[in-house]
Amino acid sequence: MQKQLAAVADHVARLHDIQHTLDPATDGSAERRRRFDALTVTLGQSPDPIHQHMARTMTSFASGLFAGGDAPDLPRDNLDLERAFRLPKGHERRIHGHAHAGVRIVHRGPSLLLVLDAHTRHPALFSAEDLSPWLDARVPASQRECRRRREIMRRARSAKRRPVLLADLERRYRHAIPVP
């Protein structure tokens, strides 16, 4: 029993080491990344299967963990991005009663996320003066393009609308290619 407890204590210590490399308060992202990589190699070379599993998991998460660098206005890592998306996704799940947030965030994300997250930065009710700077705001081009692609795909799924869509796409293709 003591041997098993010692093994668990060692695993907990390694988890604390991993957590320490992820904490932005400890060092800059380059130094934390260096320690994270060194710890991954050390755990991967360990004969303990739990340590090897930790190393594989760390390797699979490594690509986005330090992507933000040290810029204060950018998300520091993919964990920070997940925290940013947690509230809007939770809101979507609650209003629809589904376990998955759905595709609405994907299709309307650039403007919807700002709206769903506005209450965290502005706790009081919005007044007309608060909203007036965005009176002439336009939907981002990426969002308009996403909606256009979605409409085409919806038409393509419909047996009734598909022939009209194909004829329209064919006509647009013919007009897009210059005739020699």
Side-chain angles (χ1 to χ4, degrees), residues 36-56:
F36 183 86
D37 291 340
L39 187 57
T40 302
V41 170
T42 303
L43 291 173
Q45 294 171 348
S46 171
D48 186 351
I50 302 293
H51 287 174
Q52 292 174 3
H53 177 72
M54 287 178 186
R56 285 191 304 272

Side-chain angles (χ1 to χ4, degrees), residues 18-151:
I18 295 168
Q19 178 61 35
H20 187 69
T21 65
L22 299 176
D23 185 8
T26 58
D27 281 316
S29 65
E31 174 61 24
R32 291 184 299 116
R33 176 64 187 249
R34 188 194 61 73
R35 285 186 295 147
F36 183 86
D37 291 340
L39 187 57
T40 302
V41 170
T42 303
L43 291 173
Q45 294 171 348
S46 171
D48 186 351
I50 302 293
H51 287 174
Q52 292 174 3
H53 177 72
M54 287 178 186
R56 285 191 304 272
T57 303
M58 290 170 69
T59 302
S60 70
F61 279 92
S63 62
L65 281 176
F66 304 98
D70 296 322
D73 56 340
L74 293 176
R76 292 176 295 215
D77 51 27
N78 62 353
L79 301 175
D80 211 11
L81 279 175
E82 288 175 12
R83 282 184 219 101
F85 280 94
R86 182 177 54 89
L87 290 174
K89 287 192 311 188
H91 173 77
E92 287 293 313
R93 287 193 299 267
R94 283 190 293 281
I95 64 171
H96 294 298
H98 298 296
H100 188 271
V103 297
R104 184 170 170 228
I105 291 177
V106 174
H107 295 301
R108 299 182 181 166
S111 56
L112 181 66
L113 286 177
L114 297 174
V115 172
L116 293 176
D117 199 35
H119 68 280
T120 61
R121 290 179 179 79
H122 192 280
L125 293 176
F126 283 97
S127 66
E129 293 81 29
D130 294 333
L131 299 175
S132 63
W134 290 277
L135 185 63
D136 297 322
R138 297 189 41 83
V139 175
S142 61
Q143 187 173 339
R144 289 193 306 268
E145 182 64 24
C146 182
R147 285 183 179 177
R148 188 187 68 76
R149 285 191 309 268
R150 180 173 183 245
E151 179 57 32

